[in-house]
Each structure stands twice: as C-alpha cells, then as structure tokens.
C-alpha cells in the first residue's frame, strides 16, 4: 500500500486540488522555504484540529496565522497571553445593563474562526483551562451558561521553547488537544536572503484572495471524515504505533486513543488534499512526528527526546 513519489510542494497538489495548491503558493510568500509546515497547517485545518507552533520569536508565526485566516476566509481573533490574563479576557463576560435590569453577554476573542493564542504558556492554569474547554468542546461557559463557538473553530497557539521565566508549562490534557505540534525553524540561507531583500510583507496580506469560505471548510471537514477510507491495515499500523509507545521502556505513558484518532483524522485530510479517497502509510508516517510525539511522556532522567523515541518506533514498526 505504498504511494510512490510521495513529495511535497504546491506543484504536487495542483492536479488534485488547485485551491489547496494556490493556498500553499500564497502562504509560501509569507513563510519562505517551509512548505512542509504549511502542508501540516492546512491538513490540520481541514481535519478540524488545532495547531501548536513551538519556536523562537521572529520566525513569522503571527504573520502566518494572519495569512491563513485571510486565505481560508476565516474571521481572525488574537489573544496575547500574559500572567495577568483572565479567563474572561478570552471567553468574554456578562455585563449588567441598568436600563434593562439584565446581564448582557459580551463575547471575547475566542468567538472567532481562527484564534491566535500567542505565547500560550504565559497564561495561568486557570486561563488555560478556559481554552481547554473551547478546544475540546467548541464552547465556553461563562457564569454557568454555555455558548457555542462559531464553526469552523481553529486555534493556532505559539510558545517559546527556550524562555521559561514567568511561564506555566502546558499540562498533558492541554497538549493532547493539539492535533499537530510543529516547529517553523530558521529559514535556509537563500530563503533568508529573499526575506531581507523583500522586507516585511505583512501589509500585502490585505491583498490575499479568500480561496475558501468558513462554510465551505465546515462542509469539507464533514466530507473528509465520511468519504476518505482507512483500510484495516492502516488501522492496525496506527494501533501498532500506539501500542509500542505504551510499552516503551523509556516512556512513562504513551499515545492515548484520542491521539490515535487524531493522527487518522489528519491523515484523512492529507489524503484528500492529494486527491485520494484513501489513506496510505506514508500519510501517517509524514504526520506522526508532529501528531504523536508531543503526547509522549518520557521517564525522568531519560537521555532521549520525544522525537527520538518516536522515530525509533516508526523505524521499528513494519509498514503495511
């Protein structure tokens, strides 16, 4: 069940999905030489998941989120996390109106289609828990009343992996809500030369075309879930990967059933992007490092990272 010539870049999506190819081309103007990150972002959107970008400042994460919202026809919202950020700063709050004698709900920035949560690990655990409900249940609860979030609802969260002063590490339950955790990384020398020559292009975002609408994305998410087939051999492959993480001598705990479900959902999305109605093992292998590694919990004092442990598992489990 192999897909020969499995490669990436806008040209590889042109025949199967011209709008996806155009979205990749436009995003590549913002994030030069990072096509693999862009493909994972789009696959995550169409799978109905959330994305965590862990990287240093100044690599284009915020501009990428703005560009993605524009191209995908999504209403954009942003939360800049700080230690004094309150849950109501994210969700909204009820305000008493003297003229009516009633409380009126004022929605916060979470009521967006694409929410950028910048430096999420600077928010306190109480504020993080408000985001946990939004990401897990597509709703928020304020003063005992639950409010449904708009659809689609997609979170791009960022955090700095180096600076730890004044931060609150994300709990495992929060990490598990992210379908994909990726890193942008430094650009290549040629790509950085182009960035320095062209300068900031954030002002160009307003000229980007909207290639999709929010309603289309919701419909596509449903179609992908229903129409993209997953063979029993792919299911067994994912189950084998999950089981190896749970029994690995260097891991305290492995991938949960939710994690296994998420890697299949995003693999379906990637298959659709490439014009197939079925998932191949390469879809899973391409996405597994960013879909599964952040769900692993290495033993204290271990010498191997999450990524290294997962790669060793991918190398050991036979490909169907």
């Amino acid at each position: 069940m192999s897909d020969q010539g499995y490669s990436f870049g806008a040209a590889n999506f042109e025949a199967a999905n011209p709008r996806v190819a155009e979205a990749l081309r436009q995003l590549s103007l913002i994030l030069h030489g990072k096509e693999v990150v862009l493909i994972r972002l789009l696959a995550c959107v169409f799978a109905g998941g959330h994305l965590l970008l862990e990287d240093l400042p100044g690599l284009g994460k915020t501009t990428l989120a703005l560009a993605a919202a524009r191209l995908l026809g999504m209403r954009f919202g942003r939360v800049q996390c700080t230690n004094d950020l309150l849950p109501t700063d994210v969700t909204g709050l009820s305000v008493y109106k003297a003229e009516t004698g009633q409380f009126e709900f004022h929605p916060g920035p979470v009521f967006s289609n694409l929410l950028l949560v910048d430096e999420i690990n600077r928010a306190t655990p109480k504020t993080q828990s408000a985001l946990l409900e939004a990401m897990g249940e597509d709703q928020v609860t304020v003063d005992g009343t639950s409010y449904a979030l708009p659809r689609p609802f997609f979170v791009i969260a960022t955090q700095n992996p180096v600076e730890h002063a004044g931060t609150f590490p994300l709990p495992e339950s929060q990490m598990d809500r992210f379908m994909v955790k990726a890193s942008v990384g430094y650009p290549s020398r040629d790509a950085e030369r182009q960035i320095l020559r062209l300068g900031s292009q954030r002002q160009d975002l307003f000229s980007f075309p909207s290639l999709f609408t929010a309603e289309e994305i919701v419909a596509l998410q449903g179609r992908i879930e229903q129409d993209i087939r997953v063979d029993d051999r792919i299911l067994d492959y994912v189950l084998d990967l999950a089981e190896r993480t749970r029994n690995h001598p260097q891991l305290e705990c492995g991938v949960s059933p939710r994690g296994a479900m998420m890697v299949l959902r995003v693999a379906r999305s990637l298959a659709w992007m490439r014009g197939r109605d079925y998932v191949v093992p390469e879809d899973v292998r391409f996405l597994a490092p960013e879909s599964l590694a952040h769900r692993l919990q290495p033993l204290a004092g271990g010498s191997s990272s999450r990524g290294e442990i997962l790669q060793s598992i991918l190398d050991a489990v036979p490909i169907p």
Side-chain angles (χ1 to χ4, degrees):
M1 295 182 63
S2 64
D3 186 17
Q4 298 299 324
Y6 201 78
S7 55
F8 304 98
N12 301 108
F13 295 83
E14 186 66 54
N17 225 316
R19 283 195 296 173
V20 169
E22 182 60 22
L24 288 171
R25 275 191 291 269
Q26 295 287 347
L27 290 173
S28 294
L29 300 176
I30 298 298
L31 209 62
H32 302 274
K34 298 295 181 180
E35 287 81 5
V36 170
V37 176
L38 302 179
I39 291 167
R40 287 176 172 136
L41 182 152
L42 291 179
C44 194
V45 169
F46 293 120
H50 304 289
L51 174 68
L52 176 62
L53 291 175
E54 185 176 77
D55 227 318
L56 299 172
L59 295 177
K61 300 185 292 296
T62 301
T63 306
L64 173 62
L66 286 164
R70 177 70 182 174
L71 289 167
L72 297 170
M74 292 180 165
R75 189 167 72 254
F76 180 80
R78 176 174 180 172
V79 174
Q80 184 64 53
C81 294
T82 57
N83 291 346
D84 59 353
L85 186 75
L86 299 174
T88 52
D89 294 329
V90 178
T91 62
L93 72 163
S94 297
V95 177
Y96 181 73
K97 307 291 287 187
E99 54 270 28
T100 63
Q102 295 180 334
F103 284 91
E104 183 178 300
F105 179 65
H106 289 244
V110 74
F111 286 86
S112 309
N113 296 125
L114 191 156
L115 179 67
L116 173 64
V117 184
D118 209 6
E119 296 191 275
I120 187 174
N121 56 335
R122 291 197 175 277
T124 62
K126 187 173 183 178
T127 303
Q128 288 180 16
S129 67
L131 286 166
L132 183 64
E133 181 188 12
M135 295 169 62
E137 303 177 35
D138 289 338
Q139 68 173 29
V140 294
T141 301
V142 179
D143 296 330
T145 302
S146 295
Y147 300 91
L149 296 176
R151 297 187 62 203
F153 177 64
F154 176 51
V155 171
I156 297 180
T158 71
Q159 65 177 6
N160 185 336
V162 176
E163 189 176 358
H164 299 295
T167 63
F168 302 86
L170 297 183
E172 296 304 316
S173 58
Q174 185 86 49
M175 292 291 287
D176 204 39
R177 291 302 194 276
F178 287 101
M179 182 173 280
V180 171
K181 177 188 173 188
S183 174
V184 175
Y186 290 115
S188 66
R189 186 178 179 86
D190 289 342
E192 190 166 8
R193 180 188 297 274
Q194 188 175 4
I195 293 169
L196 295 177
R197 185 177 299 280
L198 295 175
S200 174
Q201 294 181 287
R202 185 173 293 191
Q203 68 276 6
D204 297 336
L205 297 179
F206 299 103
S207 64
F208 275 21
S210 292
L211 301 174
F212 297 86
T213 67
E215 294 76 17
E216 277 185 298
I217 291 175
V218 172
L220 285 170
Q221 289 171 348
R223 281 175 45 199
I224 290 168
E225 187 71 23
Q226 292 178 4
D227 297 346
I228 307 301
R229 295 179 288 110
V230 178
D231 189 273
D232 284 345
R233 288 170 289 178
I234 299 294
L235 286 177
D236 286 333
Y237 181 52
V238 172
L239 288 170
D240 288 343
L241 292 174
E243 186 175 356
R244 289 288 184 101
T245 67
R246 295 165 190 169
N247 300 320
H248 198 281
Q250 298 183 59
L251 293 175
E252 185 175 339
C253 60
V255 174
S256 68
R258 180 192 289 128
M261 289 175 63
M262 283 197 176
V263 76
L264 281 177
R265 280 172 54 193
V266 73
R268 280 191 174 100
S269 178
L270 182 58
W272 171 80
M273 289 169 59
R274 293 184 64 86
R276 286 186 266 101
D277 65 353
Y278 58 92
V279 174
V280 297
E282 286 78 3
D283 296 326
V284 176
R285 287 182 63 83
F286 172 71
L287 295 162
E290 280 71 27
S291 293
L292 297 181
H294 64 285
R295 306 175 195 281
L296 306 181
Q297 186 61 46
L299 291 170
S303 58
S304 299
S305 67
R306 290 179 172 92
E308 291 169 339
I309 294 171
L310 182 61
Q311 189 57 54
S312 69
I313 293 171
L314 287 169
D315 293 339
V317 175
I319 303 172

